[in-house]
Amino acid sequence: MSLYDRFRNLWRKENLEQELDEELLAHVEMRARKNVAAGMDPAAARREALIRFGSRASAKEDARSADLLGLLESIGQDVRYAARMLRFNPGFAALAILTLAVAIGANTAIFSVVNAVLIRQLPYPDAARLAIIWSGFGNANRAPASTFELFQIRQRTKEFDQIGGIWVTNGLLPGEGDPEQVKTAVVTSNFLPLLCSRPRFGRFFSAEDQTPNAPFAIVISHGVWARRFGSNPAIVGKSVRFGPRSAVVIGILPENFRLIFPGDSSIPPNVDVFYSTAIDASNPKGPGFLRLVGHLRPGSNFARAQAEADSVAAQISALRANLGASVLRLRVISLQADDVGKIRGTLLVLFAGVGFVLIIGCANVANLLLARATKRTRETTVRAALGASRGRLARQLLTENILLGLLSGAVALAMAWAVVRAILAARPASLLNFGEAGIDWRVLAFTFAASVLTAIIFGLAPIIAASRIDLVQTLKDSGRPAQKTTRRWTGVLVSAEVALGFSLLLGTGLLMRSFINVLHVDPGFRAEGVFTFQLPPPRYDMLHELTRKLAAIPGVQSVAAVSHLPLDEDIANWYDYYWKEGAPADQQSTVMADHRSILPGYFATVGATLLSGRDFTESDDPAHEHVVIIDDILAQQLWPGGDAIGQRLNVSDSPAGVYQFQRDAAVVVGVVRHIQCHSLTAFVRPQIYIPFQLAPRPMAIVMRTSGALTGLEAAARKEVSAVNRNLPVSRVAALSEYVSRARSESRFASLLAISLSGVALVLACVGIYGVLSCSVAQRTSEIGVRMALGATRSDVTNMVLAEGLTFVVVGLLGGIALSLLLTPALSSLLFGVKPGNPANYAVIAILVLLVGALASCLPARRAMSVDPLSALRCE
């Protein structure tokens, strides 16, 4: 038969069936004639030919499957039959599809976040070859680099073809109009090309922009271009006002450009203005402020780059050996890996959790299919008796399962979309830098693969059960299946559900206890009732006048200012070395502390505790002895058991102006209790506080009030405008919002874990209920016999409850063993909680037992209501 004829037969099935019947009949007749020729009776000869030839239906099936087109047609028949069976059983179909859709949808939603954060490359050219280069001295491992270090690394590297640097601070929005404080970045001329292929309009910086007579050039973000310059491309090349000076706009960034850096780099995603700086290589002890990004040369890798960085760090340290500087360390880390390092553990744990939910969903549907297979035993037996092979029966069941899985996957995509929207609304700050999680080709491929694989997995049990049917015995028993094998399968599946559900609940309990502990952490200050906003670097007289006016607002108790609000990681952190007066050269520049510029009254305003000494006063200025206040951790480190008041420290301040740092010897006049500046749960560095007159910086105003914070913004803006109408107010917020953001990652993990464990618990409960209900229905006659022989209703109830609780207890034992293996992986996400605490296991075990008993009660009541006479009549 030609290929054309085969295709044509797909649309002329009646003729094809007739031809197959005629061909099979011809074979039977040929065999019968041979038998007659051999001396057999014609009737006996035909009977022997029919028996020898076997089932005509089986032979026709073999003939159809002889080639590819026949196989495709056969599969099409299976699909149509599977669809018809689902249509005839809408209750079963709806329950199975909903169960799988919930499980697959949860996996798809979490995978879309994993895809956006861990799998998808950063939106930069050749992102896989980008590295962030951290400096390290003494107790600091992730410090910024100085311009001297950048110059030396550039001169000595062979593994990087480009190394750029960036530092972000606050500035004024360029152009005419009301002043607005925005994020501005100082970059090397080669920084932007590392992260952006080309600007939307104009160009990036060049070496000529850093020559002495070159006009001051800036590159602006798409947002500034749109809201400040009306999206006019002609602004490129024109001079605009930028703070106290003029600047030429040389480029406009693409709309979707953003900076994606690790959270502790103090590089926010949205920077509005970039300007370039020349590399000053003349000061070996200059301050470190640049975050370095390098691009690996072709053929290089991160291991080779790190080996080279170790060598370069040793060479730079040798150059500064006679300056008392500590030994430099350089760390080269993939920018992608460093960005996701903080959130990776949380996402992988959650992804494992939704994997458990998927397995529980598969077990539930497998139990549904086993129960359905029990009802279809007669159908399967008849098909096998008519000649259907075990492989053919397995293929039909597998087709039904795959169709069920694909339908579930389609519903799961819609559910996943809604779940992703909810996740994005609750995501922590560590996820804000990344692009929106969504449904892309990877997510679609994952959903399709999950649907097909789960269809195969949950279909294994009924397929294996169908393949073990004893054809003769089943026909003798009128199609009633053997119950022990089915109950054994369902029992194993339910126990597996309980084990996985227990593990999820235990993990959720640990995360919840951690979050509760985070809520009760004392950050060293009282955020309630504190209102904040930020200003660019003001003059001291202006700042003093402003705080006086703000303090006069009704309800305001006190007003002060600080350069860095606690838990505000969007401001470039200021930390530097310190040492005791008289320390030998090899002990200088070895340990770091956070430096904070403050006004008098700051500690009282934010509710910090001054342990000893005094607060700053108005006379703590450059004309008098330089003074500092340190926290108790630093005081204990330097003078354990002694008194820090009156001691002298060598610190970095800038009495000559903003960012004009110099080393000074200062007297400790106060000790304050340590404030959690970077994290609620981890100690990062001690703190040194310097009077504003000795370290002018952009400042955040803090106002403690006795009433509600509503209405304070308008009043504060009015007073700022009265002092200086060109002084922009930005980042207006309650101090409690910074605390809430610091808790966001723990809250995010806890909320998702609660959702997953809730779904798992419901699915396990449904699984127990479904198995026991099916068992009661299948054992109705047995229950009737027991009751006829004297069993009481309580005996029957106890029998069903015992069966259900046996599944639960076996699952609990498996869950405890599984949890002992898995809970150590949660250690990095926990705070103040021990994973192996027996109390955690006991509480979750009691909860699971109660839920298992509840799920068993309704089937037990149904069994108790069985009428013995009716059951025996049916038998």
Side-chain angles (χ1 to χ4, degrees), residues 630-713:
I630 63 175
D631 70 5
D632 55 337
I633 293 178
L634 194 152
Q636 183 63 26
Q637 288 175 349
L638 292 179
W639 299 282
D643 188 4
I645 304 300
Q647 303 289 348
R648 297 180 70 85
L649 276 182
N650 188 288
V651 298
S652 174
D653 56 21
S654 53
V658 181
Y659 304 132
Q660 298 182 35
F661 298 110
Q662 64 183 46
R663 303 299 309 189
D664 268 327
V667 177
V668 177
V669 297
V671 177
V672 68
R673 186 180 178 190
H674 177 75
I675 292 176
Q676 295 292 107
C677 285
H678 302 281
S679 167
L680 288 172
T681 59
F683 169 77
V684 178
R685 279 179 294 272
Q687 291 128 27
I688 296 174
Y689 297 91
I690 303 173
F692 174 80
Q693 297 98 309
L694 300 179
R697 300 289 307 271
M699 300 296 282
I701 302 296
V702 289
M703 305 166 58
R704 178 164 292 279
T705 69
S706 58
L709 301 184
T710 55
L712 274 181
E713 180 177 355

Side-chain angles (χ1 to χ4, degrees), residues 133-135 143-147 149-150 153 287-292 330:
I133 305 173
W134 292 98
S135 294
S146 67
T147 54
E149 292 160 10
L150 172 57
I153 296 170
F289 62 97
L290 290 173
R291 274 67 179 180
L292 303 185
L330 293 175

